[in-house]
């Protein structure tokens, strides 16, 4: 299962629909919604499933412990799991389990690099979210494992939770030439601090922001009122106005409408199900985010030092709760993944 051509393609209803649409759509008709979006935004696949990535042909791909956990549970990836376990190093069982889990994430990431031309994101242990030096050490270990497989560090984005400590780790890593993807980002000041740290990319979680507001405000939102959509638009405009090079990549979408409300964003990471749904749509996709227009706006610069960052997060119940919840969930899924690996080792 090391060489991508030998990976079997298991047809899902979504992939069957996507392929049928590709075959039957007349070339003279209007491009489908996914094709229109791709003209103004780089599309990233939010999945660890190799078959879906091969079928959908995105620019980049993102993974996280939850996606790797789902993939590992599939018997078709047993060879990747077995190889990671066989290669694991450490003096104790726990050390070997941790090493095998890192190798497993890198094994999936390595296969993905064969299927996409751009970046592949690999997540640092969420349990290190408040540990600057621990995050840096883990990032360098991940890149070392990729190097063993012949994957250059320029192809990899190290995903780090957007805590203050995570952003400081990213600042040091970026200064050393390591590209970082700041994930679990819910607040404007997280985005400004990440840009100040010269992070390569941020991943604002659009759908999870919407989830919180729907649950707490007890109301429904149109896509142009969606708090997650508005958050990304605000960050995008600020970055373009003030010349920040950090890439804005919206993530965690709940619907196609939410995705298309951010047409023009630098990148959007989208699930295979939503990518397939867009491939079957012929609606016109208007531009929603425009860098040139943002540069003409009157948007003052803000200070996002540690004091401002911590105070603004304290004042933002949604961001505080969702960041903590996201870290706990990724940590829990990593614990489950390690449990699977430990069970196979024992």
């Amino acid at each position: 299962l090391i060489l991508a051509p030998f990976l079997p393609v298991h047809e899902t209803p979504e992939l069957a629909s996507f392929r049928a649409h590709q075959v039957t759509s007349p070339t003279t008709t209007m491009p489908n919604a996914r094709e229109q979006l791709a003209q103004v935004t780089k599309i990233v696949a939010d999945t660890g499933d190799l078959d879906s990535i091969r079928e959908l042909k995105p620019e980049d791909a993102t993974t996280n412990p939850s996606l790797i956990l789902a993939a590992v549970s599939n018997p078709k990836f047993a060879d990747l799991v077995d190889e990671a376990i066989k290669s694991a190093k450490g003096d104790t069982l726990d050390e070997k389990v941790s090493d095998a889990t890192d190798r497993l994430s890198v094994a999936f990431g390595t296969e993905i690099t064969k299927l996409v031309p751009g970046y592949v994101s690999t997540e640092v242990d969420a349990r290190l979210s408040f540990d600057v030096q621990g995050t840096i050490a883990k990032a360098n270990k991940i890149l070392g494992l990729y190097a063993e497989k012949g994957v250059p560090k320029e192809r990899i984005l190290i995903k780090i939770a957007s805590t203050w400590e995570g952003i400081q780790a990213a600042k040091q890593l970026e200064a050393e030439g390591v590209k970082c993807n700041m994930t679990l980002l819910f607040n404007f000041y997280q985005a400004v601090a990440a840009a100040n740290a010269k992070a390569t990319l941020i991943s604002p979680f659009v759908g999870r922001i919407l989830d919180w507001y729907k649950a707490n405000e007890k109301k429904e939102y149109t896509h142009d009122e969606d708090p997650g959509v508005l958050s990304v638009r605000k960050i995008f405009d600020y970055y373009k106005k003030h010349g920040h090079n950090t890439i804005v990549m919206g993530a965690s979408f709940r619907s196609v409408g939410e995705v298309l409300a951010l047409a023009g964003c630098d990148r959007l990471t989208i699930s295979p199900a939503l990518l397939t749904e867009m491939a079957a749509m012929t609606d016109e996709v208007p531009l929603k985010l425009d860098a040139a227009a943002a540069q003409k706006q009157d948007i003052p610069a803000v200070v996002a030092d540690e004091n401002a960052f911590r105070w603004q997060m304290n004042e933002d119940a949604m961001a505080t709760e969702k960041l903590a919840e996201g870290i706990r969930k990724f940590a829990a899924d990593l614990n489950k993944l390690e449990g699977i690996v430990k069970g196979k080792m024992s």
Side-chain angles (χ1 to χ4, degrees), residues 301-315:
V302 302
V303 174
D305 59 14
E306 183 175 1
N307 289 340
F309 178 95
R310 295 195 186 281
W311 177 251
Q312 292 295 331
M313 289 295 289
N314 179 75
E315 292 298 282

Side-chain angles (χ1 to χ4, degrees), residues 176-196:
E176 296 169 357
V178 176
K179 297 179 184 298
C180 298
N181 171 352
M182 303 311 300
T183 190
L184 294 175
L185 194 146
F186 304 95
N187 176 277
F188 177 68
Y189 279 78
Q190 286 178 292
V192 175
N196 291 344

Side-chain angles (χ1 to χ4, degrees), residues 123-168:
E123 190 133 357
V124 165
D125 186 338
R127 297 167 299 193
L128 298 171
S129 295
F130 304 98
D131 182 345
V132 175
Q133 295 307 315
T135 294
I136 292 169
K138 181 67 80 171
N140 285 320
K141 181 188 176 185
I142 289 169
L143 292 175
L145 293 175
Y146 272 115
E148 289 178 9
K149 292 183 173 292
V151 179
K153 69 179 183 180
E154 291 75 19
R155 293 290 312 279
I156 304 303
L157 291 177
I158 297 296
K159 286 181 76 174
I160 302 171
S162 297
T163 58
W164 178 257
E165 292 79 7
I167 292 170
Q168 300 318 298

Side-chain angles (χ1 to χ4, degrees), residues 203-223:
S203 296
F205 275 38
V206 182
R208 294 195 197 184
I209 293 175
L210 175 64
D211 293 344
W212 190 92
Y213 277 96
K214 287 174 70 173
N216 286 271
E217 301 295 334
K218 309 299 182 187
K219 63 175 287 188
E220 295 297 319
Y221 298 85
T222 68
H223 297 308

Side-chain angles (χ1 to χ4, degrees), residues 12-319:
T12 64
E14 292 83 1
L15 292 183
S17 171
F18 176 80
R19 182 182 288 110
H21 179 80
Q22 280 190 314
V23 172
T24 59
S25 293
T27 56
T28 56
T29 60
M30 184 176 182
N32 64 48
R34 183 186 169 214
E35 291 167 339
Q36 293 178 68
L37 179 64
Q39 292 173 7
V40 295
T41 292
K42 284 193 174 182
I43 293 177
V44 180
D46 194 12
T47 180
D49 184 78
L50 301 174
D51 292 338
S52 293
I53 294 169
R54 182 182 295 105
E55 188 74 21
L56 297 168
K57 298 180 175 63
E59 289 277 341
D60 303 340
T62 59
T63 65
N64 61 47
S66 305
L67 296 174
I68 297 296
L69 178 63
V72 163
S73 303
N74 193 321
K76 68 184 176 182
F77 298 128
D79 287 356
L80 285 181
V81 178
D82 292 343
E83 178 60 29
I85 290 173
K86 191 185 303 182
S87 304
K89 298 176 182 177
D91 295 328
T92 66
L93 178 59
D94 285 345
E95 287 177 359
K96 288 179 180 177
V97 167
S98 178
D99 188 60
T101 305
D102 289 338
R103 289 175 183 275
L104 188 55
S105 294
V106 169
F108 274 95
T110 299
E111 294 305 316
I112 293 171
T113 64
K114 301 171 186 177
L115 303 176
V116 300
Y119 293 127
V120 174
S121 292
T122 299
E123 190 133 357
V124 165
D125 186 338
R127 297 167 299 193
L128 298 171
S129 295
F130 304 98
D131 182 345
V132 175
Q133 295 307 315
T135 294
I136 292 169
K138 181 67 80 171
N140 285 320
K141 181 188 176 185
I142 289 169
L143 292 175
L145 293 175
Y146 272 115
E148 289 178 9
K149 292 183 173 292
V151 179
K153 69 179 183 180
E154 291 75 19
R155 293 290 312 279
I156 304 303
L157 291 177
I158 297 296
K159 286 181 76 174
I160 302 171
S162 297
T163 58
W164 178 257
E165 292 79 7
I167 292 170
Q168 300 318 298
K171 182 177 182 178
Q172 183 172 326
L173 287 166
E174 290 281 356
E176 296 169 357
V178 176
K179 297 179 184 298
C180 298
N181 171 352
M182 303 311 300
T183 190
L184 294 175
L185 194 146
F186 304 95
N187 176 277
F188 177 68
Y189 279 78
Q190 286 178 292
V192 175
N196 291 344
K198 301 191 184 305
T200 296
L201 182 148
I202 62 167
S203 296
F205 275 38
V206 182
R208 294 195 197 184
I209 293 175
L210 175 64
D211 293 344
W212 190 92
Y213 277 96
K214 287 174 70 173
N216 286 271
E217 301 295 334
K218 309 299 182 187
K219 63 175 287 188
E220 295 297 319
Y221 298 85
T222 68
H223 297 308
D224 284 327
E225 297 170 338
D226 183 325
V229 168
L230 296 179
S231 176
V232 175
R233 290 179 179 176
K234 179 179 179 180
I235 292 166
F236 178 91
D237 287 348
Y238 183 88
Y239 277 16
K240 304 314 175 190
K241 174 66 177 181
H242 294 285
H244 291 298
N245 294 322
T246 299
I247 297 165
V248 181
M249 182 176 75
S252 175
F253 291 102
R254 298 296 179 253
S255 67
V256 163
E258 202 172 39
V259 172
L260 299 182
L262 291 173
C265 193
D266 299 328
R267 282 171 167 80
L268 297 174
T269 183
I270 307 166
S271 69
L274 294 181
L275 286 171
T276 300
E277 188 177 340
M278 284 193 291
M281 295 169 55
T282 55
D283 309 53
E284 184 176 356
V285 177
L287 187 68
K288 295 290 188 176
L289 285 77
D290 186 334
Q295 290 168 5
K296 298 175 183 177
Q297 294 185 42
D298 181 17
I299 306 174
V302 302
V303 174
D305 59 14
E306 183 175 1
N307 289 340
F309 178 95
R310 295 195 186 281
W311 177 251
Q312 292 295 331
M313 289 295 289
N314 179 75
E315 292 298 282
D316 188 341
M318 176 277 296

